[in-house]
Amino acid sequence: MWFIMQGKMHDIKKYVVIVAGGSGTRMGSAVPKQFLLLHGKPVLYYSIAAFLDAFSDINIVLVLPQDQEHYMASLLELFPGSTNITVVNGGETRYHSVQNGLKKIEGEAIVFIHDGVRPMVSKQLIYACYEQALEKGSAIPAIPVTDSIRIVRQSGSDPVSREELRIIQTPQTFLSGIILPAFAQEYSTLFTDEATVAEAYGKEVYLVAGERSNLKVTTPEDMILAEALLNARFKNE
Amino acid sequence: MWFIMQGKMHDIKKYVVIVAGGSGTRMGSAVPKQFLLLHGKPVLYYSIAAFLDAFSDINIVLVLPQDQEHYMASLLELFPGSTNITVVNGGETRYHSVQNGLKKIEGEAIVFIHDGVRPMVSKQLIYACYEQALEKGSAIPAIPVTDSIRIVRQSGSDPVSREELRIIQTPQTFLSGIILPAFAQEYSTLFTDEATVAEAYGKEVYLVAGERSNLKVTTPEDMILAEALLNARFKNE
């Protein structure tokens, strides 16, 4: 795969829209969760570094609530010489935040849309998404469900077969020719992620194997887990 | 709640059937996952200790594959003086394993059925399950789904609203008068957990709030996570 990619890699521009909209509410913290420290560096650092590590020429569009801009200076200091990081303001919903980020995209490109609070995304997953989006137009990372699942009804609950269910992650990855016009649609509350936006625009989306370690850091326990996974990763390097 | 429980606690016998059926396959390990070490003690140690810590008079029925019995001697040494631990052999499926364990139950009781590889279960969750099962007949721990979910179709996939979905955990907890006759039914492949067995017997089951930290240790990464959560727990004690 690497060999094939070497050839294709410079044919098309690459963008990642990193959406860092969260507050610290669920963390019980005054610092927004994407700026909490893992090994002394903000969660968001790792999310950005993963994409720069995969593609040194990638354009990074960071979508950030306006009131969090004062955190940026020290974050950018961690990427000296990186001129390809742009910061834009977040919107009312995730849809509007991504929409703001997508305005920075020019020309034909592969567009990754990534949660700022998924710091553990691997280079391998980024490449797999790139490859598939180039070939099929989209790549939505998904992992199997290992727990039993039930669906809650108005009264009671019913079991659901987990075999057919998938947990969806990011980076949700698209050809710009698909995702840009999809985000020109009028907003709908059915838009829960980028895949649903692309589908509403009439495009089928294609799943790709995600990674269990690519966790979304939402609670204080997730911080403990992310820190432990980082420790294990550093130990193996 | 504690005050109410103090009164009820000795009214009814308590059993926990701990199902430890796993091999080391998904761990890539020769040692079955329930005997891998966390902080120097087997995963199974913590699952047992949690219930003994919640109720010192609880009867523990450990369901174990026959070829893993040689691990037991050293495990039991970690519970000196505990005369209330019985070991029985596992069966062909989880259903048959639980069925074997339930044969040890005598008289009216609250019956917890717990995954051997959920070492992080808390005393609080055990008490909550006990209380609710006493009142309503069952308590099935469930937590909200925080990720986006899709359902895979024969061709393609569709989004599923996660709001109504719940991740199911153990201990699934029942009055013996419900779960014993339910497990006298003929086996069906639809029996994916104890809740589905009780439902097939015509009983409605009742969910109770589970805990995100009550994770099922299935992969090497889960071991890292469990170890990190244990570290944090020890630090707070």
Side-chain angles (χ1 to χ4, degrees), chain B residues 85-101:
Chain B
I85 304 180
T86 311
V87 182
V88 304
N89 285 334
E92 206 178 321
T93 68
R94 181 188 172 96
Y95 176 82
H96 297 101
S97 291
V98 173
Q99 202 176 40
N100 285 355

Side-chain angles (χ1 to χ4, degrees), chain A residues 118 147-152 157 159 164-168 195 199 205 212-213 219 221-222 224-225 228 232, chain B residues 118 147-152 156-157 159 164-168 195 199 205 212-213 219 221-222 224-225 228 232:
Chain A
R118 288 196 193 264
D147 298 289
S148 291
I149 301 284
R150 296 183 75 85
I151 187 157
V152 177
S157 64
E164 287 88 44
L165 296 181
R166 297 290 181 277
I167 295 168
I168 300 302
E199 286 175 324
V205 297
R212 281 197 85 183
S213 56
T219 66
E221 272 160 8
D222 295 333
I224 295 172
L225 306 187
Chain B
R118 289 196 192 263
D147 299 290
S148 291
I149 301 285
R150 295 183 76 86
I151 188 158
V152 177
S157 64
E164 287 87 46
L165 296 181
R166 297 291 179 277
I167 295 169
I168 300 302
E199 286 175 323
V205 298
R212 280 195 87 182
S213 56
T219 64
E221 272 160 8
D222 295 332
I224 295 172
L225 306 187

Side-chain angles (χ1 to χ4, degrees), chain B residues 45-63:
Chain B
Y45 163 82
Y46 297 95
S47 308
I48 297 171
F51 284 91
L52 281 175
D53 191 34
F55 299 111
S56 58
D57 63 340
I58 196 169
N59 298 290
I60 292 171
V61 183
L62 202 54
V63 187

Side-chain angles (χ1 to χ4, degrees), chain B residues 33-50:
Chain B
K33 55 191 176 184
Q34 55 267 21
F35 290 104
L36 290 176
L37 300 185
L38 285 174
H39 268 273
K41 289 174 180 164
V43 167
L44 202 45
Y45 163 82
Y46 297 95
S47 308
I48 297 171

Side-chain angles (χ1 to χ4, degrees), chain A:
Chain A
M1 187 181 87
W2 179 245
F3 186 73
I4 302 170
M5 287 184 58
Q6 288 285 330
K8 288 183 189 169
M9 213 165 0
H10 299 283
D11 294 342
I12 189 163
K13 283 197 285 187
K14 289 159 287 273
Y15 286 87
V16 58
V17 175
I18 298 182
V19 192
S23 67
T25 323
R26 266 200 279 188
M27 285 287 183
S29 138
V31 177
K33 55 192 175 183
Q34 54 269 18
F35 290 103
L36 290 175
L37 300 185
L38 284 174
H39 269 271
K41 289 176 181 163
V43 167
L44 201 45
Y45 163 83
Y46 297 95
S47 308
I48 297 171
F51 283 90
L52 280 175
D53 191 35
F55 298 109
S56 58
D57 62 341
I58 195 167
N59 298 291
I60 293 172
V61 183
L62 203 53
V63 187
L64 203 67
Q66 202 163 359
D67 61 1
Q68 291 179 22
E69 278 181 2
H70 61 286
Y71 289 103
M72 279 309 297
S74 51
L75 179 65
L76 290 177
E77 273 172 24
L78 296 170
F79 299 100
S82 283
T83 53
N84 48 357
I85 303 180
T86 311
V87 182
V88 304
N89 285 336
E92 206 180 322
T93 68
R94 182 188 171 94
Y95 175 83
H96 297 100
S97 291
V98 173
Q99 202 175 39
N100 284 357
L102 293 176
K103 286 178 190 152
K104 295 290 170 189
I105 289 168
E106 291 170 2
E108 207 192 339
I110 289 288
V111 182
F112 300 90
I113 300 165
H114 189 60
D115 294 329
V117 290
R118 288 196 193 264
M120 305 300 299
V121 60
S122 77
K123 199 192 271 198
Q124 290 71 31
L125 180 55
I126 293 171
Y127 288 156
C129 289
Y130 176 89
E131 276 288 289
Q132 185 178 305
L134 208 53
E135 189 196 329
K136 295 186 172 177
S138 63
I140 312 297
I143 57 171
V145 173
T146 54
D147 298 289
S148 291
I149 301 284
R150 296 183 75 85
I151 187 157
V152 177
R153 308 289 187 191
Q154 276 207 311
S155 152
S157 64
D158 293 316
V160 177
S161 166
R162 69 178 170 211
E163 308 302 323
E164 287 88 44
L165 296 181
R166 297 290 181 277
I167 295 168
I168 300 302
Q169 306 181 326
T170 72
Q172 301 197 358
T173 311
F174 301 89
L175 282 170
S176 56
I178 289 174
I179 203 65
L180 293 183
F183 269 82
Q185 297 174 97
E186 205 174 318
Y187 172 67
S188 154
T189 53
L190 296 175
F191 296 163
T192 52
D193 62 356
E194 292 70 48
T196 50
V197 178
E199 286 175 324
Y201 180 63
K203 296 291 178 183
E204 194 174 343
V205 297
Y206 298 95
L207 304 184
V208 67
E211 294 171 340
R212 281 197 85 183
S213 56
N214 179 24
L215 63 101
K216 192 171 174 178
V217 175
T218 308
T219 66
E221 272 160 8
D222 295 333
M223 285 293 285
I224 295 172
L225 306 187
E227 184 104 24
L229 289 172
L230 272 179
N231 277 333
R233 190 185 280 184
F234 290 147
K235 224 187 289 175
N236 289 334
E237 267 171 10

